[in-house]
């Protein structure tokens, strides 16, 4: 299916089948509802319904309810949710609303480019004041895919020194979050990356609706004839026979440090000990 390119280089969503894990964050709930009403009567839509809802769930909370349930209608038809009829079963409705981003844990590859620098720094500030290194590595990787990040730790009295690194970062277009740690302060600098670079990163890895092509799986396993197998076994046996036994005494400090006590006895005493041993035998 051909796709037009929208403003900013992103693919324009003209059909529910254009949705993927990245661009679904840029689509409003009312647009999804409009496309759903337009496309659900078409033949074959029932087979795609669950898969489409799976893509929508990346960015939206999805609820199902019966139009005959007064309590549910009061919950979902109060203006906070966008609702539309489900294709099957009949009489059931779907309610969606965009997922809020309230914590760092809510960030993912699809929504990270949708938030502002101010929102990002606010989320970091809520993370128990632990600083950049206190953020899980996986979350830092997601953040750095859309933002340039830099950190600075200095005594609090010197953090705003004239001509220092803090002032230079602000001059370069970064926004800063300061986290005080005793007499020291950690500054976290963030700046959005070039949108064209983000688009290039997302183009190759869209987790969209389209199913992968069914290709025949091949095994790397190679069949061997009985003669080839016997030849291989004989070769392995020959290699084992030709392999000399390793002399551990050369490298093992235990063998090098071991000294037979009898070697330090005078020859006469060694002979007497041997005679005593012979006489004690039955």
């Amino acid at each position: 299916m051909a796709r037009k390119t929208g403003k900013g280089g992103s693919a324009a969503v003209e059909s529910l089948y254009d949705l993927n894990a990245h661009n679904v964050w840029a689509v409003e709930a009312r647009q999804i509802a409009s496309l759903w009403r337009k496309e659900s009567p078409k033949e074959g839509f029932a087979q795609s319904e669950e898969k489409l809802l799976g893509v929508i769930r990346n960015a939206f909370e999805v609820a199902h309810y019966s139009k005959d349930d007064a309590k549910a209608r009061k919950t979902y038809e109060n203006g906070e949710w966008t609702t539309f009829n489900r294709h099957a079963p009949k009489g059931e409705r779907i309610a969606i609303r965009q997922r809020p981003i309230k914590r760092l844990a809510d960030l993912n590859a699809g929504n990270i480019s949708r938030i502002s620098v101010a929102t990002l720094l606010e989320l970091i500030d809520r993370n128990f004041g632990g600083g950049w290194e206190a953020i899980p590595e996986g979350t830092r990787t997601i953040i750095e895919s859309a933002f340039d990040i830099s950190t600075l730790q200095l005594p609090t009295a010197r953090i705003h020194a004239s001509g220092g690194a803090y002032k230079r970062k602000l001059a370069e277009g970064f926004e800063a979050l300061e986290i005080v740690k005793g007499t020291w302060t950690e500054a976290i600098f963030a700046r959005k990356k070039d949108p064209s670079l983000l688009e290039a990163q997302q183009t190759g890895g869209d987790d969209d609706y389209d199913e992968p092509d069914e290709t025949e799986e091949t095994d790397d396993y190679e069949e061997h004839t009985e003669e080839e197998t016997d030849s291989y076994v004989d070769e392995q046996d020959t290699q084992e026979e030709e392999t000399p036994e390793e002399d551990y005494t050369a490298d093992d400090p235990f063998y090098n440090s071991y000294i037979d006590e009898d070697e330090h006895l005078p020859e006469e005493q060694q002979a007497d000990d041997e005679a005593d041993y012979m006489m004690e035998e039955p």
Side-chain angles (χ1 to χ4, degrees):
M1 181 181 293
R3 299 182 183 179
K4 294 182 180 180
T5 301
K7 188 176 180 180
S10 60
V13 176
E14 298 180 341
S15 166
L16 291 173
Y17 300 98
D18 291 334
L19 294 174
N20 58 55
H22 295 288
N23 66 17
V24 70
W25 285 92
V27 180
E28 294 184 1
R30 61 186 180 183
Q31 182 181 358
I32 291 178
S34 175
L35 291 172
W36 191 280
R37 296 186 187 104
K38 175 183 176 182
E39 298 181 16
S40 60
K42 296 180 180 179
E43 184 179 355
F45 185 85
Q47 288 73 34
S48 306
E49 190 172 42
E50 285 302 326
K51 293 180 180 179
L52 290 169
L53 287 173
V55 176
I56 293 170
R57 284 189 182 94
N58 282 286
F60 293 85
E61 297 176 14
V62 178
H64 302 272
Y65 69 99
S66 171
K67 65 179 182 180
D68 298 325
D69 187 336
K71 184 177 180 181
R73 292 186 64 176
K74 186 177 180 180
T75 300
Y76 297 115
E77 297 179 7
N78 59 3
E80 296 181 5
W81 298 73
T82 299
T83 62
F84 44 90
N85 290 330
R86 186 170 184 178
H87 183 276
K90 297 295 183 180
E92 187 168 320
R93 291 178 63 79
I94 298 172
I96 64 173
R97 66 178 178 186
Q98 194 161 48
R99 293 184 181 277
I101 302 174
K102 298 179 178 180
R103 305 171 301 162
L104 287 174
D106 295 329
L107 296 175
N108 56 51
N111 64 21
I112 186 62
S113 62
R114 309 297 173 187
I115 66 172
S116 65
V117 175
T119 299
L120 172 64
L121 294 181
E122 182 180 347
L123 294 175
I124 295 175
D125 192 29
R126 292 179 190 169
N127 193 44
F128 309 108
W132 178 249
E133 292 300 325
I135 300 173
E137 183 178 357
T139 304
R140 295 202 306 265
T141 300
I142 291 173
I143 293 172
E144 290 177 320
S145 69
F147 294 86
D148 293 319
I149 301 293
S150 181
T151 62
L152 173 68
Q153 293 193 51
L154 284 174
T156 302
R158 294 172 47 197
I159 194 76
H160 295 288
S162 178
Y166 189 100
K167 299 292 186 183
R168 290 198 300 272
K169 284 295 181 183
L170 295 183
E172 293 171 4
F174 285 85
E175 296 181 37
L177 168 67
E178 297 180 25
I179 300 176
V180 179
K181 301 178 178 180
T183 59
W184 288 67
T185 294
E186 176 183 0
I188 301 175
F189 302 96
R191 178 180 63 184
K192 272 216 164 188
K193 289 186 175 180
D194 186 343
S196 62
L197 296 178
L198 297 179
E199 190 67 30
Q201 290 176 1
Q202 295 176 1
T203 301
D206 280 351
D207 182 17
D208 53 15
Y209 166 79
D210 298 334
E211 298 181 36
D213 294 335
E214 293 185 1
T215 57
E216 182 179 353
E217 294 185 3
T218 58
D219 255 329
D220 291 332
Y221 174 81
E222 296 180 0
E223 294 186 359
H224 298 279
T225 64
E226 185 175 350
E227 294 178 359
E228 291 175 322
T229 303
D230 292 342
S231 174
Y232 175 78
V233 172
D234 292 341
E235 181 181 350
Q236 294 298 312
D237 291 341
T238 303
Q239 291 179 357
E240 291 180 2
E241 292 174 0
E242 294 176 355
T243 303
E245 294 186 2
E246 295 183 27
D247 183 8
Y248 295 98
T249 61
D251 298 324
D252 196 324
F254 170 79
Y255 286 101
N256 290 334
S257 61
Y258 177 78
I259 300 175
D260 191 344
E261 294 181 2
D262 288 345
E263 291 180 2
H264 289 272
L265 297 176
E267 293 183 2
E268 295 179 357
Q269 186 172 344
Q270 292 182 31
D272 292 342
D273 290 344
E274 185 176 350
D276 292 342
Y277 175 78
M278 297 294 292
M279 291 177 65
E280 290 175 1
E281 288 186 349

